[in-house]
Each structure stands twice: as structure tokens, then as C-alpha cells.
Amino acid sequence: MGKKKRILLKIGSNTLTKETDNLSRGKIEDLANQIATLQKDYEFVIVSSGAIAVAKQFVKLESKQEDVFVKQALASIGQPHLIRIYQEIFREYGLLTSQCLLSYSDFEKQESKVNIVNTINVLVNNNYIPIINENDTVATDEIKFGDNDKLGALTASLIEADLFIIATNTNGIYTKASMENGTPETIALVNDFEDLKNEVVNSKSSHGSGGMQSKIEAASVAKQSNIETWIVNGLEDNFIKNAIENKVPFTKVK
């Protein structure tokens, strides 16, 4: 039996909520269904945002603290709910899941990096899908700097993924001219990052903290480890399968 290709899938809050104020169980079902169908040829590690979005469904925190501390508290409330929803839905498709919370500082220490790789390899080899999020109660990088895009890229590099897929709310990266004309046109293939930087119109998503700029920076991190990045519209059903089969427009960063 041939070796499975390892996909690091990063899925943001906007995709998980389908651009609403509530987590979409249907979107997580769509994810589970695709992974169950693809698991013969691919193994998956997921970096998932969404803890804060989930918490906002249950609570409204009153605090005189800075906004970032309120968001950290919301992440703390939402994370167990998020993982429980993944576990429940994935189990219906015969998939096993596990939770991994990481901080950017973990990527700066050799011992931590070795531990991350070893743990994820054990999980994946035993058919568990690691679901990774930033440990928001001790770190504020995701909250401040980019909706887990960079965390996804660093993790993809560390675990030597074959492919890094960023699920977002657009059909990849659009050309600047087409955005200005109001007729978005996807850049199918990127070989030159300098050219790409000139095309980017930076906009933040409603729930996420990233925008396209952080996705390009993440793709740049992955490229340094020779990992190809796909920026795909995760709002569509079957977005992973359709991208693999080249049935939809998306951006491929080589």
C-alpha cells in the first residue's frame, strides 16, 4: 500500500460559521464527509479556528478588561464546545479526533518541536485526526495577528505535510484589477511572491482576524519548506475533493 499524502487543512472562523454568527454543524459535516471519502489516499491534520465564535453563541462576557483579554476568556469557554462538536460529528462518519493546543513559542524550542511531531505522528498513525488551535488563554497571537494562518503554515512545515490547504471565503486570491472592476478573477497559479504582493487588496474577514495578507504570508512560510499551498473556498460543499479534482477555481502557490 502506497504512503498516504499528508494534508494540513487550516479552516478559519468565517468558513466554520459560513459567514453567520453561529458555528455551522453542516460545514463540519461537510468536512467529515470529505475526509471519510478521501482517507484511503490522504491523512489529515486540521488547524481550526472558531473557539471564540462558538463561545459568543453561549455567553456575553462583561468586563472592564482590554478586548484581547475578553477574547482570550471567550476562547477558553468556546474551545471545549468546539472540540465536542468536532468529536460528535466526526464520530458519525467513523472518524476519531483529538485536541492539540499550541502556542507560537512552542515552535521556538527544539524540545517542544520534537514533542509536537512525535505526538502528531502517533495520533495520525493510529487513525486519529489532530485538531489544532492556538492556546488562546496563554497566547494572543491568533487573536491579534491572523486567524491561525501562520500557525497552520508553521505546523505544516514542522510535520512535513505534502500539502497545505487554507479554507477561506473566496475562490482563492483575486487579481487586483478584477476586484476593482467588481468581477473577481482567481489567480490560478503563483510562482512569484513579489508579483503576488502587488495584487493583494487587504481586507479582514468578519469573524476571522486574517484577511488575504495573512494567507499570503502563511503560504510564504510553507514555501520555505517546499510545501505547496492551496487557497480554496471552504464555504462551498466538497471544497477539498473539488480542488483535488480541479473542478473549482482556487489559487495554487508553488
Side-chain angles (χ1 to χ4, degrees):
M1 192 172 127
K3 186 174 178 287
K4 290 184 182 182
K5 271 193 156 183
R6 179 173 286 187
I7 293 178
L8 188 295
L9 171 67
K10 182 266 157 174
I11 186 154
S13 304
N14 255 38
T15 308
L16 282 173
T17 58
K18 291 185 94 171
E19 299 189 305
T20 68
D21 289 329
N22 295 308
L23 190 81
S24 166
R25 292 182 77 94
K27 179 42 63 183
I28 295 180
E29 284 172 7
D30 174 48
L31 262 185
N33 181 41
Q34 292 182 79
I35 291 171
T37 309
L38 293 165
Q39 64 181 340
K40 193 161 67 73
D41 299 311
Y42 299 92
E43 59 189 31
F44 285 84
V45 176
I46 298 173
V47 169
S48 175
S49 302
I52 294 171
V54 173
K56 283 179 176 174
Q57 291 174 222
F58 299 105
V59 294
K60 188 172 187 341
L61 292 185
E62 300 297 332
S63 177
K64 293 186 172 67
Q65 297 272 25
E66 287 177 47
D67 188 43
V68 70
F69 297 123
V70 175
K71 285 183 173 175
Q72 283 180 288
L74 285 168
S76 171
I77 294 164
Q79 186 63 30
H81 288 289
L82 180 66
I83 287 297
R84 179 178 51 77
I85 293 164
Y86 267 112
Q87 283 185 319
E88 285 172 3
I89 293 172
F90 274 47
R91 196 183 297 127
E92 289 170 14
Y93 289 83
L95 301 171
L96 300 167
T97 55
S98 68
Q99 173 180 261
C100 300
L101 294 176
L102 301 178
S103 303
Y104 284 103
S105 59
D106 294 327
F107 293 88
E108 292 162 7
K109 302 177 201 137
Q110 188 54 34
E111 186 183 358
S112 299
K113 291 200 293 188
V114 170
N115 290 342
I116 293 166
V117 172
N118 290 339
T119 302
I120 287 175
N121 284 340
V122 169
L123 289 165
V124 170
N125 292 339
N126 284 277
N127 298 315
Y128 276 79
I129 299 164
I131 297 178
I132 297 166
N133 197 350
E134 187 179 353
N135 191 356
D136 286 324
T137 50
V138 297
T140 57
D141 288 350
E142 179 212 349
I143 290 169
K144 287 181 177 173
F145 299 124
D147 205 29
N148 277 339
D149 295 322
K150 187 180 171 189
L151 185 68
L154 289 170
T155 307
S157 302
L158 192 60
I159 65 171
E160 298 179 344
D162 297 293
L163 179 62
F164 176 34
I165 297 179
I166 301 176
T168 186
N169 57 349
T170 61
N171 297 330
I173 305 169
Y174 299 138
T175 65
K176 201 173 199 171
S178 72
M179 289 290 282
E180 286 162 359
N181 294 339
T183 53
E185 185 185 317
T186 301
I187 300 169
L189 182 64
V190 174
N191 285 311
D192 189 321
F193 268 93
E194 289 313 308
D195 287 352
L196 186 61
K197 283 174 191 166
N198 298 328
E199 295 286 359
V200 175
V201 179
N202 200 27
S203 60
K204 293 280 174 84
S205 52
S206 55
H207 281 289
S209 50
M212 203 47 76
Q213 186 62 44
S214 80
K215 286 159 186 52
I216 289 165
E217 287 164 9
S220 170
V221 170
K223 186 180 170 74
Q224 287 165 23
S225 298
N226 296 315
I227 298 169
E228 192 169 302
T229 300
W230 293 2
I231 300 173
V232 181
N233 192 338
L235 298 176
E236 303 291 335
D237 286 343
N238 287 316
F239 64 96
I240 306 168
K241 285 177 65 185
N242 286 340
I244 288 170
E245 293 166 11
N246 240 339
K247 290 181 176 173
V248 288
F250 68 97
T251 298
K252 201 178 271 191
V253 184
K254 291 210 166 183

